[in-house]
Amino acid sequence: MKKKILFIFIAILSLTMTVNAKEVTSDLKLTEDITTGIHIPEGKEVVLDLNNHKISGVIDNYATIYNEGTLTIKGNGEVSNDYSEATDPSLILNKGTITIENGKYSGGAYNLLNEGKATIKGGSFTRTGGTTIAIQNNKTLSITNITVQGQVISNNSITIKDGTFNAGVRITKKGTIKGGNFK
């Protein structure tokens, strides 16, 4: 009986967590700004083209983009939210696989909180409030050609090939730095 109640509770929590978000289950090229946040569910593969638009809003105090599937973000555009000490949401919460190819990311408790597999091939990340951490990696992260205003903290596997890092990189487990400009 306890397992059944726990399952029902988790199912209800999952439904309420993304009720106010735009759920994206197929490729999307933005034609207007989105102010409700975006959720990519588990098992879905999505290419998100920012197309010079902006994504903002926060999904139930978690993130502006909440990825549980496989997500590629490309194109020029911006993803941002205002930092709130009360709720402390991340800009991007990745629990699946994410590839970021371009864009501007600013705000949130972290610009990227990685709990899955992340590859960053371009873009700029700017920490604007709360902590000084722009990118927090807890699983697997590969970085090439980015600009970061804020710290990069890795508690697991990280590879840095190139980029500009204006507040430092801290690696607590395993990592490789093959290049970059560190200020």
Side-chain angles (χ1 to χ4, degrees), residues 105 111 123-127 132-135 143 145-153 160 162-170 177 179-183:
Y105 305 88
N111 295 158
S124 65
F125 296 77
T126 304
R127 184 70 200 101
T132 60
I133 303 169
I135 298 172
I143 296 174
N145 196 30
I146 68 171
T147 301
V148 182
Q149 299 286 341
Q151 294 179 334
V152 175
I153 306 293
I160 298 173
D162 193 17
T164 301
F165 303 87
N166 291 301
V169 174
R170 185 175 75 199
I177 298 176
N181 184 7
F182 300 88
K183 298 180 179 180

Side-chain angles (χ1 to χ4, degrees), residues 35-80:
T35 59
T36 58
I38 288 180
H39 173 241
I40 291 79
E42 188 175 353
K44 299 298 179 181
E45 288 188 34
V46 173
V47 174
L48 174 62
D49 186 342
L50 296 175
N51 193 30
N52 293 310
H53 288 282
K54 181 177 181 178
I55 301 171
S56 61
V58 177
I59 304 165
D60 294 330
N61 300 330
Y62 290 106
T64 300
I65 296 177
Y66 179 49
N67 178 48
E68 295 179 291
T70 300
L71 172 63
T72 299
I73 301 174
K74 66 180 193 171
N76 292 319
E78 184 178 346
V79 179
S80 66

Side-chain angles (χ1 to χ4, degrees), residues 10-183:
I10 290 172
I12 291 170
L13 181 62
S14 295
L15 286 173
T16 60
M17 190 167 111
T18 59
V19 148
N20 66 338
K22 177 175 179 61
E23 186 166 276
V24 178
T25 58
S26 61
D27 294 353
L28 175 65
K29 182 174 185 175
L30 296 184
T31 57
E32 62 185 6
D33 294 349
I34 293 177
T35 59
T36 58
I38 288 180
H39 173 241
I40 291 79
E42 188 175 353
K44 299 298 179 181
E45 288 188 34
V46 173
V47 174
L48 174 62
D49 186 342
L50 296 175
N51 193 30
N52 293 310
H53 288 282
K54 181 177 181 178
I55 301 171
S56 61
V58 177
I59 304 165
D60 294 330
N61 300 330
Y62 290 106
T64 300
I65 296 177
Y66 179 49
N67 178 48
E68 295 179 291
T70 300
L71 172 63
T72 299
I73 301 174
K74 66 180 193 171
N76 292 319
E78 184 178 346
V79 179
S80 66
N81 69 33
D82 294 326
Y83 173 75
S84 166
E85 191 172 309
T87 58
D88 207 26
S90 296
L91 194 59
I92 300 172
L93 174 56
N94 177 50
K95 292 192 173 191
T97 300
I98 189 168
T99 301
I100 299 171
E101 296 179 352
N102 206 357
K104 294 170 69 174
Y105 305 88
S106 63
Y110 307 104
N111 295 158
L112 171 64
L113 176 56
N114 182 42
E115 302 286 342
K117 180 179 180 184
T119 302
I120 304 173
K121 298 179 179 179
S124 65
F125 296 77
T126 304
R127 184 70 200 101
T128 60
T131 70
T132 60
I133 303 169
I135 298 172
Q136 172 81 37
N137 174 50
N138 295 326
K139 288 284 183 155
T140 304
L141 174 61
S142 175
I143 296 174
T144 304
N145 196 30
I146 68 171
T147 301
V148 182
Q149 299 286 341
Q151 294 179 334
V152 175
I153 306 293
S154 180
N155 295 318
N156 212 326
S157 178
I158 186 170
T159 300
I160 298 173
K161 296 176 184 166
D162 193 17
T164 301
F165 303 87
N166 291 301
V169 174
R170 185 175 75 199
I171 300 170
T172 59
K173 270 197 175 178
K174 53 189 172 184
T176 304
I177 298 176
K178 296 178 180 178
N181 184 7
F182 300 88
K183 298 180 179 180

